Amino acid sequence: MPSPKLKNSLNSKPIRIAISGGGIAGATLMNALLQNPNIDPHIYESAPEFSERGAAVGLSINAQSITPEASCLDVSLAQLMVEKQGAGPDAGKVVFDLSSGEAALIVHRARFLEELLKPVPREVMHAGKKLVDVTEAGGSLVLHFEDGTSETAGGLIAADGIHSIVRKHILGNQNPAASPAFAGWWDCRNLVPFDKAKSRLGEQYFQEARQYCWVGDGTFIMHDILDDGKTVQCVGAVRTEDDWKSDEWKRELNRDMLEKAYKGWTDKAFADAMIELLLDQEEPRAFSQWESKHGDSYSKGRICVMGDAAHAMTPWQGSGAGQAIEDAMILASLLANIKTAEEINDAFRAYDGIRRPRSQQVVESSTITGLMMSGKGPDTGLDLSRLKDGMWSRWDFIHNLDMKAHKEEAVRLLKQVQEQDKD
């Protein structure tokens, strides 16, 4: 059923767009499409309710500019420090300090999603709808759900995450890029009360709400403040040569694993305190990090993928959510420049042409940054001066994107595609 806003549209037949996935990516796109009277968007979430897992998410400067919902949430800045294994003159020295207005915004995932969903009419939100197949009939797409129901739509935009079945539909099940690949790290995290973290890790790190990170030899430690200063997210990451299986997303975490990983840290007291905080939960787990490999396309006909379904990446540059938001901005701009469902194919081809090169560049950059932040960069290692030279500018191409020009380029490409179809 069209939303009340769309019922009142002068266009008697708005194009029905289905969004599969009700996380941050899908909700951001839903917000954008609701502004278009020619689009009738519906969002389908596989879980029984719309919710986000995980503690924090980073929003870069450019992503913040198109998500005003983030303005009401907490701000944490970032300071990155190098911690050399064993004794050494550079242990504990600062690599760089993002203390200016150029820092990312660190927000709580669940609260951010809640803000994004507030303006969405309940009648276009469909929970408990796990997509299992997509077919075509009568010139429309037919979405088949696990509960046995189906819906029709003019186009499908899948924000169904790293396990995306729609990505497999686009690339083919046998394509190596259809499934995510193990990125080479596992991490563990815990949310702890602010006062406990402050007393264990040291008061000097809690004078203001910001993010602190430490580089080790094959390891990494981070903590940041959430929930208006009530909670601290503690994270430990480890570079590993182990090959995690494709269906192995977590393992039991024990003290021996963490002590082995952080045994050589110069500030042993700090490392031991972080280990205690990471283990201070009912079921400590180590989670594998995964990423998408280059695929041939983000679209096929009237179907496309966005967010993690298109370009899952490691968290090292805090850009996963930001790239999903950029996807939403471009998709909304392109769909605002079509009039019929038959033009969706052209819009999605233009989307692929604009967003795939940009987002895959971020995927690759994040992996290299992770190696550097784990002390394993091939050109940096744990050398302080090389880390400073190599790390400082790594975020420039992410943060300095001209969003207006990016949209204009997408629309130009759409017109080129449409002209090609006429020939």
Side-chain angles (χ1 to χ4, degrees), residues 95-109:
V95 179
F96 67 85
D97 183 352
L98 294 177
S99 58
S100 69
E102 296 302 311
L105 182 68
I106 309 299
V107 300
H108 196 290
R109 283 181 176 270

Side-chain angles (χ1 to χ4, degrees), residues 21-265:
I24 288 173
T28 303
L29 178 62
M30 189 68 181
N31 267 267
L33 295 185
L34 283 171
Q35 311 308 311
N36 185 344
N38 192 41
I39 299 294
D40 177 16
H42 286 249
I43 186 167
Y44 301 88
E45 167 57 33
S46 62
E49 61 183 15
F50 286 75
S51 62
E52 265 286 357
R53 290 177 292 179
V57 61
L59 300 179
S60 61
I61 295 298
N62 53 324
Q64 294 171 45
S65 68
I66 51 176
T67 49
E69 292 81 6
S71 63
C72 63
L73 304 178
D74 309 337
V75 178
S76 292
L77 305 178
Q79 183 176 26
L80 182 62
M81 301 178 69
V82 61
E83 176 69 51
K84 291 187 66 175
Q85 193 169 34
D90 293 333
K93 289 185 178 179
V94 175
V95 179
F96 67 85
D97 183 352
L98 294 177
S99 58
S100 69
E102 296 302 311
L105 182 68
I106 309 299
V107 300
H108 196 290
R109 283 181 176 270
R111 289 188 60 197
F112 185 38
L113 180 63
E114 182 181 342
E115 291 296 322
L116 288 170
L117 292 174
K118 278 182 180 179
V120 180
R122 301 301 99 171
E123 58 264 35
V124 297
M125 296 173 59
H126 311 280
K129 295 294 180 181
K130 183 178 181 180
L131 186 66
V132 294
D133 195 15
V134 184
T135 58
E136 293 187 31
S140 295
L141 298 177
V142 182
L143 283 62
H144 302 273
F145 301 103
E146 192 175 55
D147 63 3
T149 63
S150 63
E151 295 282 354
T152 59
L156 169 64
I157 300 172
D160 53 344
I162 196 169
H163 301 284
S164 174
I165 68 159
V166 179
R167 182 181 176 91
K168 292 181 173 66
H169 176 87
I170 292 172
L171 297 177
N173 284 321
Q174 303 307 313
N175 190 318
S179 299
F182 179 55
W185 287 272
W186 60 263
D187 65 45
C188 51
R189 55 194 66 208
N190 192 18
L191 295 177
V192 300
F194 177 86
D195 289 339
K196 178 184 286 188
K198 181 178 178 180
S199 65
R200 297 283 182 87
L201 299 177
E203 294 188 8
Q204 68 270 31
Y205 302 122
F206 297 90
Q207 300 302 311
E208 54 185 324
R210 57 181 317 182
Q211 184 182 80
Y212 285 88
C213 312
W214 286 263
V215 176
D217 189 1
T219 55
F220 173 82
I221 284 177
M222 181 193 80
H223 69 76
D224 45 26
I225 300 172
L226 304 173
D227 298 330
D228 297 321
K230 299 175 184 176
T231 308
V232 175
Q233 176 185 226
C234 297
V235 180
V238 178
R239 180 71 178 170
T240 180
E241 297 299 325
D242 292 347
D243 187 17
W244 288 52
K245 298 177 182 177
S246 59
D247 60 347
E248 189 179 17
W249 296 83
K250 61 184 178 181
R251 294 178 180 176
E252 291 187 7
L253 179 68
N254 56 51
R255 184 178 299 275
D256 286 345
M257 291 170 64
L258 289 172
E259 289 184 346
K260 180 180 179 180
Y262 294 100
K263 66 180 180 180
W265 277 56

